[in-house]
Amino acid sequence: MMKQIAAALILAVALAVVARTAPQDPQEQRPTFKSSIDLVPVDVSIVDKTGHPVTNLEAKDFSLTIDGRPRRIASAQYIPAGRDSGPAEPVPDYYSTNANAQGGRLIMFVVDQGNIGLGHGRLAMDGIARFISTLTPADRVGLVAIPGAGPQIDFTAKHEVVRALLPKLVGQATPVESTHRVGISEALDINRGDEQTATTVAERECGGARDPNEIAACRMQITQDANVVYQTAHERTRNSLIALRYLVERLAVTPSPKTVIFLSEGLIIDRDLSEVSWLGPAAARGQVVLYVMQLDSAETDASLPRASTSRSSDRALGEEGLGILAGMTRGTLTRIIASPDAAFARLGLELSGYYLVSFEPEPGDRDGKTHKIKVDLPGRKGVEIRARSEFTVDPPRTKSAETSLVETLRAPLLATEIGLKLSTYTLRDPASNKLRILVAAEIDRSLDPTGPMSLAYMLLDSKGNVVSSQVEDQLKVPIHQATKSQTYVGAALTNESGVHTIKLAVVDSAGKRGSVEHTFRAQLTSAGQVRATDLLIADNTGTSAIGLAPAVSAQFTSDTLHGYIELYSDSPEVLTSTSVVIEVAESEQGRTLDGGAARVQTPAAGTPNRRMAEASVPIALLPPGEYVARAVISINGRKSGQVVRPFTIARPALTIAASGANGKEALVARAPIPFSSRIDAFDKSAVLSPQVVSFFLDRMNVGPNAPPASVTPAINEAKAGRFDAAVEALKAEGNDQLAVVFLNGLALYSQGQLEAAAGKFREAIRMDSEFFPAVFYLGSCYAAGGRDREAVGAWQTSLVTESEAPFIYTLLGDALLRLRDVDQAVDILKEASTLWPDSEQVQLRLGTALAMAGQPAEALATLDPYLQKHPDDHERLFIVLRTLYEARASGRTIKSKDEDLALFSRYAAQYAAAKGPQQAIVDQWKKFMDKK
């Protein structure tokens, strides 16, 4: 079995690295609305005079025209983008799921440092930080500083990362050095050939000149200064627009609605708008809305030698350029004069929702060309409509699974149509010594239990670089019909240790998508001179054609935990003295509840520095709850380190069957109870005790086959347990005598020669078919050899004439319990209890059988008198404690809730006093009983 575990846990996954798709040339891209049905969606914001969204509109309230021609509106749905559904259920950090993913907002802050005065903007950055603190945990925020090499933080749910960078962002625009004071608006007019402005500036700046040549030189210098100011302003605008275009084009790759909050003191945009003609289509394609906030530049600036005389005009010119950006993306422009909080508060209102208006296009609308669009609310006054002014719809096309997977992986928000859970285990690749990341995913197939499924994932390092990627056109692993899930196991290599992120996506044949993202630390654990991989754990209910798969969410419902770990060392000699014990505990440093020594495999050829260790640990007795699996590594018998992996026992409550044995309700357990008692192992020597041997030898003294007097000395030696001496005393006797054959069989049995002894007993039965002592000991040979089924047959036969022997009943009951033939064991032992009501050996076995048969009340009634006389019998105490625990776990009581708890407390105290070997498990049961 463990070979199968190792083969399954260490899958040889061939990695086909998929190159990242190079970004398209913006000139080659066309804005599109992609829709799976013949409707075109348009996002529209409707706010009242206070900035609050209007939420009560219907499709009939809207009108929409394309190139001036009306279109029928099919639907208008208000999307509450800022809803907060409350805190999500916490997810352990050893796996991730998209089950709790919420449809939050995507908000990108863009700080135009190149067009904000040097050192300006600190108050605005503080305002952004306060605004981020008002967002919901489902919202993802990003931060980009343009132009240049400032922060480039993509959408993230870790808001604190963005807030931490904000204090470092300030304006970087330095004053333009010039001989004369020429404002930006003045420079623009002069550059356009406006003589009036040139004359006005010359009169102001050249007033002290008297000589015509001096005046001419001054006017020429003003023209040169104006050109420098204009070129500088234009260059700064151009650099910011290039950076903004790259950002918007990147955001347009995925169609999710996105908000870009653009902070700047102003942009200088020419009247022909050629520099920004790309913005409207790109923003429409990516559902990007640009909210522009213009920071107020001070009237006086200590960094300037002389204040500009056209500061108000310059600000208005910059505001005009910013307004063009906002208007082309259905956004707004807000001026921030003092505190930015009021502007962000109003923005928060607007971001709380929008309308998705869908209309029926005409055939000519889907020609891939740009069309004018206008959305209106006839008869509705006092509201402001913010909609895009143009759009493009490409002809419908079918996407390949790979295209859908790439889009889903690139999308900043998780797709939740298909449920996913994802976990990783860090190993080491023996061939390259790189870290090998085992990727384990659990896919919900309840919506599509039989159709094909495509999968892709990419591994990113701490800097966001793609380290490895994989595409599976169609998953080959089987679907678990019982759980309607599919477990995928893959692998990826990385050169570096440290924080990594893996994102995985799936797409089914109907186009439904799911994605999940998991961040983890890829590293080996140092344990002295040994380095250990992650501890892989598997649940034996996850069996499939490929064996046991590594646990994903580690919600165990089985009775056994399988563990696997790899060890590495530069010194092979150290590995030969290294041992591993895999344990289960409540916490990383908690008391061991159960465990087992791992089997360390011999190294494969060519890998002397590597060892693999594996073990199975029983967890059937542990109640539901949180635990850790712990691989304890020792070198020369001394602990050198450990590796832990959390898991949860999520075993469902025990269920009550409709009817059990003899028509009674029975408690159905998930697996046989592994009782640690002599019932579970046949004791060969028990039937060689003088009392048992004498019982059967005395029966040879009656009937036609009674032994002669010469055999009496040998019989006496056998009754005393001296079987070799008995054989020596029989040397003069003939081998045709029943007593001689039987005594020789006893001697062989005492020596452990089971087959030879069985032969003698069979010979005795052939000599006398009613000689049941030989039948009994033939059954003992079977039981000693692990053949309980044959032993039961023999012992049942021996009961025909030897019904007064209680030990035959107890041995038969033991064998039936080992075979889990509980109902028959109860019947046999009840008969024995009627015959020998005072036999403690019968009563303790009957109580055990009743407990195993799911008859807890009868079990307690049978075992309690025995335990009052024998409070140190930890085996029987463990049985009654388990019986009480299982009853409570199934929602039942045996007597009453309080009485059951009192009984459990009494038995638990006795078990502790008896120093029972499974005290840790009893303590777990006690916690479970106390909290229910």
Side-chain angles (χ1 to χ4, degrees), residues 212-464:
N213 291 331
E214 187 179 354
I215 294 173
C218 179
R219 289 179 66 93
M220 181 176 294
Q221 184 63 49
I222 289 173
T223 302
Q224 293 174 353
D225 289 344
N227 186 59
V228 170
V229 171
Y230 170 77
Q231 292 296 337
T232 301
H234 187 270
E235 184 68 16
R236 288 174 177 175
T237 294
R238 178 177 174 275
N239 290 338
S240 293
L241 289 177
I242 290 174
L244 180 63
R245 179 172 186 174
Y246 177 81
L247 173 65
V248 173
E249 292 286 356
R250 182 166 62 85
L251 295 179
V253 171
T254 56
S256 306
K258 309 167 195 72
T259 298
V260 172
I261 301 175
F262 187 84
L263 292 94
S264 177
E265 287 185 358
L267 294 177
I268 309 303
I269 298 176
D270 287 336
R271 294 170 179 172
D272 62 3
L273 305 181
S274 59
E275 294 179 298
V276 292
S277 59
W278 55 270
L279 180 58
R285 181 172 67 252
Q287 297 186 52
V288 174
V289 179
L290 203 62
Y291 287 91
V292 180
M293 294 192 173
Q294 184 184 22
L295 308 186
D296 188 45
S297 56
E299 289 294 335
T300 59
D301 192 331
S303 64
L304 295 175
R306 291 169 296 176
S308 170
T309 59
S310 62
R311 181 61 61 89
S312 297
S313 299
D314 294 348
R315 184 188 302 118
L317 188 62
E319 181 178 350
E320 179 183 345
L322 295 177
I324 291 172
L325 298 187
M328 298 181 75
T329 63
R330 82 164 180 83
T332 60
L333 170 65
T334 303
R335 286 188 60 189
I336 297 179
I337 299 176
S339 171
D341 291 343
F344 279 114
R346 186 179 180 99
L347 177 62
L349 291 175
E350 294 202 20
L351 295 185
S352 62
Y354 65 96
Y355 281 93
L356 198 61
V357 179
S358 297
F359 70 92
E360 295 181 358
E362 293 184 354
D365 297 340
R366 292 190 179 275
D367 56 5
K369 298 179 181 179
T370 300
H371 297 271
K372 295 297 181 181
I373 182 172
K374 184 178 181 181
V375 180
D376 202 355
L377 289 171
R380 192 70 180 252
K381 300 185 181 300
V383 298
E384 187 174 349
I385 304 170
R386 298 188 184 131
R388 306 186 190 280
S389 59
E390 58 184 20
F391 80 106
T392 301
V393 182
D394 277 347
R397 62 180 184 271
T398 303
K399 295 179 185 177
S400 67
E402 184 172 346
T403 299
S404 296
L405 286 170
V406 171
E407 287 183 357
T408 308
L409 285 176
R410 287 178 171 175
L413 291 178
L414 298 181
T416 59
E417 292 175 302
I418 299 175
L420 288 172
K421 295 177 182 178
L422 177 64
S423 187
T424 58
Y425 295 86
T426 301
L427 305 176
R428 182 175 170 181
D429 183 53
S432 64
N433 288 333
K434 296 180 180 180
L435 293 179
R436 183 158 63 97
I437 310 303
L438 202 66
V439 180
E442 185 179 306
I443 307 166
D444 181 6
R445 298 304 303 266
S446 58
L447 297 178
D448 182 11
T450 59
M453 180 75 68
S454 299
L455 175 146
Y457 60 84
M458 60 182 181
L459 177 66
L460 300 93
D461 62 17
S462 59
K463 298 178 182 178

Side-chain angles (χ1 to χ4, degrees), residues 344 432 533 585 721 746 805 879:
F344 279 114
S432 64
T533 66
L746 285 178
I879 290 171

Side-chain angles (χ1 to χ4, degrees), residues 134-147:
T134 67
L135 302 178
T136 72
D139 296 325
R140 296 199 174 198
V141 296
L143 177 64
V144 173
I146 62 171

